[in-house]
Amino acid sequence: MNKSRIIKVGQEVLNLESMALTKLSKSLDKNYTKAVELITQQSGKLIISGVGKSGNIAAKIAASFTSTGIPALYLNPVDASHGDMGIIEKNDILIILSNSGDSHELADLINYSKKKKIKIISITSSRKSLLSKNSDINLILPSHKEADKLQIIPTTSSTMSLALGDALCCSVLSLREFDKKTFSELHPGGKLGKKLKTLSEIMDTDIPIITSNSSIIDAVLIMTEKKYGCVVVLDKNKKIKGIITDGDLRRSIAKINIKEKATIIMKSRPIVANENLLISSAIVLMNKHSITSLIVAKQNKPIGIVNIKKCLEND
């Protein structure tokens, strides 16, 4: 097979699956809405099952739901028939994937769930299948061709099942109070977890502070002690009045008396940030204003401070 033929086959597969996904998108109906509402309202966990390739897809969908704060797990139907059925509890919801809907391995799982009155959502291609007839909500995959030359390997069908699982997860997510901070709490490790860290997680609460009555020498001493290259000036209500940086001191040193009030060299509008600001955004903010330390404040009262080095280490 020459290179152009290899690329052509790849394009044919992708085009076929892409058209199937477009068809799937247009097929979503009231049953999809019912499925999303059922999952959103559930008080138990999601149990997602399937055989073979459908099982692999089911495991991925379960992982997606779990990563967004909805307890979900993959249950192999064969293992379920040999003792793992006990993992299914009252108020759980069962999502079963099967292209044909007639895989014999699913029979025990379906029978048990019906007996225990567990709600079943099916993802299948056949309305007349055993699975469809025994499900509370049927999500039917539109007619399609598998992408391999024999049209028998789960390709297009598994792609549609995976995409439909992603759609369910994202639709449920859109109805819940779930933000980047919550996501970060569930993903503390790895690069993604770092990208979602906020200033509240790394800020230093030992802030270099002086009052508006403090002298320049007081500012120098605190600045030297805290090692942030700046001091925050507070008013009588302990709110931020301004900031003095080591650069301000250097530029003024020849024309000031160090016993004078520090406010004479103070900048009255320091750059401040919210504690929920992402570290990556804090880096952008500091670079934009050419500063190396950033005050973290709440209602104009300082609650922390970070420097750019600490942010880069955690980005």
Side-chain angles (χ1 to χ4, degrees):
M1 184 183 291
N2 59 36
K3 292 182 180 179
S4 60
R5 176 58 182 161
I6 291 172
I7 291 174
K8 183 178 180 181
V9 170
Q11 290 174 333
E12 289 172 351
V13 171
L14 295 175
N15 288 334
L16 182 63
E17 295 194 356
S18 176
M19 288 187 289
L21 290 178
T22 299
K23 196 173 181 181
L24 174 62
S25 173
K26 294 178 179 179
S27 74
L28 299 186
D29 56 16
K30 62 182 181 180
N31 286 323
Y32 179 81
T33 302
K34 289 179 180 178
V36 171
E37 291 174 343
L38 180 63
I39 296 169
T40 303
Q41 296 164 5
Q42 60 92 23
S43 57
K45 58 186 178 293
L46 289 181
I47 297 175
I48 309 179
S49 187
V51 181
K53 304 297 186 296
S54 292
N56 294 331
I57 300 301
K60 188 275 174 187
I61 296 172
S64 294
F65 272 108
T66 300
S67 73
T68 58
I70 294 181
L73 57 86
Y74 166 65
L75 176 61
N76 186 310
V78 177
D79 292 337
S81 296
H82 292 275
D84 286 0
M85 208 79 76
I87 203 167
I88 304 174
E89 300 173 301
K90 182 181 179 181
N91 298 323
D92 287 348
I93 296 172
L94 184 60
I95 301 178
I96 302 179
L97 284 65
S98 173
N99 187 36
S100 69
D102 287 317
S103 300
H104 69 274
E105 296 94 339
L106 298 174
D108 290 341
L109 183 57
I110 293 172
N111 289 336
Y112 181 86
S113 298
K114 297 293 287 184
K115 181 179 178 181
K116 296 294 183 179
K117 297 182 180 180
I118 303 297
K119 295 289 186 180
I120 300 175
I121 299 171
S122 70
I123 297 179
T124 180
S125 296
S126 175
R127 295 183 184 275
K128 298 180 180 180
S129 65
L130 173 71
L131 177 57
S132 292
K133 291 176 181 178
N134 287 280
S135 296
D136 298 278
I137 301 172
N138 291 309
L139 301 179
I140 304 298
L141 302 178
S143 59
H144 59 274
K145 292 181 180 180
E146 300 294 9
D148 67 293
K149 67 178 183 180
L150 300 177
Q151 296 184 8
I152 57 174
I153 299 173
T155 46
T156 308
S157 60
S158 59
T159 297
M160 285 198 292
S161 294
L162 176 61
L164 188 54
D166 287 341
L168 284 171
C169 184
C170 292
S171 292
V172 171
L173 187 62
S174 70
L175 299 177
R176 298 170 53 234
E177 292 184 2
F178 191 89
D179 53 21
K180 288 182 177 180
K181 182 180 179 182
T182 309
F183 190 84
S184 177
E185 290 173 351
L186 296 172
H187 298 74
K191 187 174 181 180
L192 183 57
K194 284 188 174 183
K195 287 291 183 184
L196 294 173
K197 276 188 174 182
T198 61
L199 293 182
S200 63
E201 298 175 72
I202 66 166
M203 68 183 186
D204 185 356
T205 55
D206 186 14
I207 312 164
I209 289 174
I210 61 172
T211 68
S212 56
N213 291 322
S214 299
S215 66
I216 293 174
I217 189 61
D218 293 329
V220 172
L221 292 173
I222 294 296
M223 195 181 298
T224 304
E225 177 187 348
K226 304 298 184 182
K227 299 180 180 178
Y228 274 99
C230 66
V231 290
V232 182
V233 183
L234 302 184
D235 63 18
K236 61 181 181 180
N237 296 315
K238 297 184 178 180
K239 291 190 175 184
I240 299 171
K241 185 173 184 177
I243 190 170
I244 300 171
T245 67
D246 53 3
D248 296 325
L249 283 170
R250 288 195 300 272
R251 287 186 290 272
S252 306
I253 194 68
K255 51 186 178 182
I256 59 172
N257 182 335
I258 60 173
K259 292 183 180 180
E260 289 185 273
K261 284 189 177 182
T263 50
I264 67 170
I265 59 170
M266 174 190 77
K267 291 178 181 175
S268 60
R269 293 184 180 180
I271 305 301
V272 300
N274 184 282
E275 63 182 323
N276 294 321
L277 183 70
L278 293 176
I279 293 173
S280 55
S281 298
I283 293 172
V284 172
L285 182 63
M286 283 189 274
N287 284 331
K288 178 182 178 180
H289 294 280
S290 301
I291 57 177
T292 57
S293 293
L294 181 63
I295 305 167
V296 184
K298 182 182 291 186
Q299 296 179 338
N300 205 35
K301 290 186 177 181
I303 60 173
I305 187 169
V306 294
N307 62 29
I308 197 165
K309 181 180 179 182
K310 185 71 174 286
C311 288
L312 289 170
E313 289 173 352
N314 285 274
D315 183 46

